[in-house]
Structure formats: structure tokens, C-alpha cells
Amino acid sequence: MYLKDEELKELIIRSQQGDHEAKDRIVNSNLRLVWSVVQRFINRGYEPDDLFQIGSIGLIKAIDKFDLSYDVKFSTYAVPMIIGEIQRFIRDDGSVKVSRSIKELSQKIKKTKDHLSKTLSRTPKISEIAEALSVATEEVVFALEANRQPKSIYETVFENDGDPIYLMDQITNTDEDKWFDKIALAEAIKELPERERLIIYLRYFKDKTQTEVAERLGISQVQVSRLEKKILCYIKEQIS
């Protein structure tokens, strides 16, 4: 059952307001999307139906957390959420193995991104990379997310003369003493919606600029700046 953009937006609004029937319609219209992601995890010792159920949880989370104020296709947002749920499920039993075809696509994406960056004099959008490779946007998103290794909140962001700087060291106020406890910070970040956690991850784990984060999310740098400030204020309030 295909939903037009306006109809999908209306259903998402209703679903986020507690309309279970609207949520069911969105889920039913995106079952093929879940199955398309599940196919990438076949032959890893898990029943396809089990992976489908886990992927469906990711789809439901995407429905609940999707922000309609951003100019991003729902499917583009939902795919990483579905992948994330399946990856977490598999990681409970062992590491996630990425297929050779996905690795090859990732290499092509990297080369294409580098080429387009030079040609366009800017970071290309995911849709532009997908068009250049003649693949679906969701395929590009999947390849990027499937090859992304899980990171620790204690990962070193920068190291100067043997003195490492962690995420914990970067989110501070103007006082000499840190205003948070490490455990409390980890719990506060865990409670953030998927998009906000991604912003924190890209900005403080991967040391990406706000412009680079904006390109990744398909929004403006100004929006990233506002979101980042809002997130940091929220974290501070949660652990103060």
C-alpha cells in the first residue's frame, strides 16, 4: 500500500499523537522497506522472520521520532533506524559482519563522494551520490550505516602530546570543574532521540563540523547549530 507524501505526513502526525490505526497504516505501507533491509542480514544464523520483527521495531521508532520540520524523506530516516535495531540484536550474539557486496558499495560511495566533492566544490548529498552510482538512496544509507562501527562514549576525539581529549572533556561549562558526572552524562545521552544522538556522535566523536553534520542530515548549518545548543542544554539540565 503506497502512501503519498502528504498522506504519510498526516498519518505520522496522527500516529505521534497516539493514533494506533494511523501507525499501523504507516507500518503496513513500509513492510517492503523492512524486508529490503533484512535481506542484507540473511545467512548469518538468524531466522528472517526474527530479523523482520526486530527491524519492525526500528521502523516503529522511526515513526515515533521522525521530525516533519526537516526536508528528509521518511524512508531515508527510517533505514538507519531499522539497521540499528537489527545490528543491536545481532551484536548481543557477536559482531556484525558486513557482506562483500556492501563493502564494495561502500568503497564506490567513498570514491564517488570524493569525485563529486571536487566537481561540485562541496560535500555531495546522499541523493547525488545515489544518482551517480545509479542506486537507490536507501542503498547508500544502508552501506554507510552497515559499515559504521559502534563507538564508545569514551573514545578519544583528539590527542595532543599524549594528552587525550574525550567527549566527556568537550561538553563543559566555563567553570574549571566539570558540571557533570560521567555516568550521568552517558545516561542523559542514551535518552536522546536518535537524531540528537547522531548529532552528538558526529560533532564530538567524529569531530565533524556543523556544515558536515548538516550535509549528513539534509538540513541547514543554522538548524544544526540550534539543535546542538538545545541538546547540550538538555543534557546539562538532566544531570545538574
Side-chain angles (χ1 to χ4, degrees):
M1 179 181 61
Y2 175 76
L3 296 175
K4 295 182 179 180
D5 289 344
E6 290 303 317
E7 184 180 9
L8 176 59
K9 290 179 180 179
E10 176 62 30
L11 288 173
I12 290 175
I13 292 174
R14 287 167 48 191
S15 175
Q16 292 177 349
Q17 293 174 343
D19 189 329
H20 296 294
E21 182 179 346
K23 179 175 292 185
D24 288 342
R25 287 188 61 189
I26 301 173
V27 170
N28 289 331
S29 69
N30 284 278
L31 294 181
R32 291 180 62 184
L33 180 65
V34 178
W35 273 117
S36 69
V37 174
V38 168
Q39 299 307 309
R40 276 60 174 190
F41 294 93
I42 297 298
N43 300 324
R44 298 191 187 183
Y46 300 94
E47 291 295 327
D49 287 344
D50 291 339
L51 296 179
F52 176 77
Q53 292 299 325
I54 299 299
S56 296
I57 294 174
L59 174 62
I60 292 172
K61 286 185 177 181
I63 296 171
D64 292 339
K65 298 180 179 181
F66 186 61
D67 192 334
L68 289 166
S69 66
Y70 298 130
D71 186 20
V72 178
K73 287 182 60 178
F74 173 73
S75 59
T76 301
Y77 177 76
V79 167
M81 300 284 281
I82 297 169
I83 293 171
E85 285 300 315
I86 296 177
Q87 285 181 328
R88 279 188 286 274
F89 170 72
I90 294 178
R91 277 199 296 267
D92 288 340
D93 293 324
S95 60
V96 177
K97 296 180 177 61
V98 180
S99 68
R100 179 180 299 179
S101 62
I102 296 300
K103 290 181 179 178
E104 291 176 350
L105 178 57
S106 295
Q107 290 299 318
K108 292 180 181 179
I109 290 172
K110 184 178 183 301
K111 292 180 180 179
T112 302
K113 181 179 179 181
D114 291 342
H115 174 71
L116 290 176
S117 295
K118 295 176 182 178
T119 303
L120 302 173
S121 297
R122 61 172 173 79
T123 302
K125 298 179 181 178
I126 290 179
S127 58
E128 293 171 331
I129 296 174
E131 182 178 357
L133 291 173
S134 298
V135 298
T137 302
E138 288 77 11
E139 291 290 322
V140 175
V141 174
F142 177 85
L144 292 174
E145 294 297 328
N147 281 280
R148 192 178 307 283
Q149 297 298 317
K151 302 295 182 179
S152 168
I153 193 171
Y154 303 106
E155 178 182 324
T156 301
V157 176
F158 180 76
E159 186 168 352
N160 185 22
D161 295 329
D163 184 19
I165 298 175
Y166 304 100
L167 169 62
M168 305 300 181
D169 301 315
Q170 289 207 335
I171 312 179
T172 59
N173 62 10
T174 55
D175 298 331
E176 291 184 359
D177 296 328
K178 292 180 177 64
W179 49 261
F180 55 82
D181 175 82
K182 290 185 178 182
I183 295 178
L185 174 62
E187 289 299 317
I189 292 178
K190 188 186 300 182
E191 293 299 317
L192 290 171
E194 193 79 6
R195 184 187 299 269
E196 278 74 1
R197 289 204 306 271
L198 179 59
I199 291 175
I200 290 294
Y201 170 76
L202 293 174
R203 290 283 291 132
Y204 295 97
F205 279 90
K206 303 304 290 183
D207 205 23
K208 298 293 186 182
T209 66
Q210 290 183 347
T211 299
E212 290 173 327
V213 175
E215 289 288 342
R216 170 71 184 277
L217 297 180
I219 59 180
S220 70
Q221 180 271 327
V222 174
Q223 287 176 301
V224 171
S225 178
R226 290 173 180 171
L227 281 170
E228 184 178 348
K229 290 178 180 177
K230 179 181 177 181
I231 294 167
L232 296 181
C233 286
Y234 167 82
I235 293 175
K236 186 173 181 179
E237 288 174 358
Q238 291 300 305
I239 64 180
S240 61

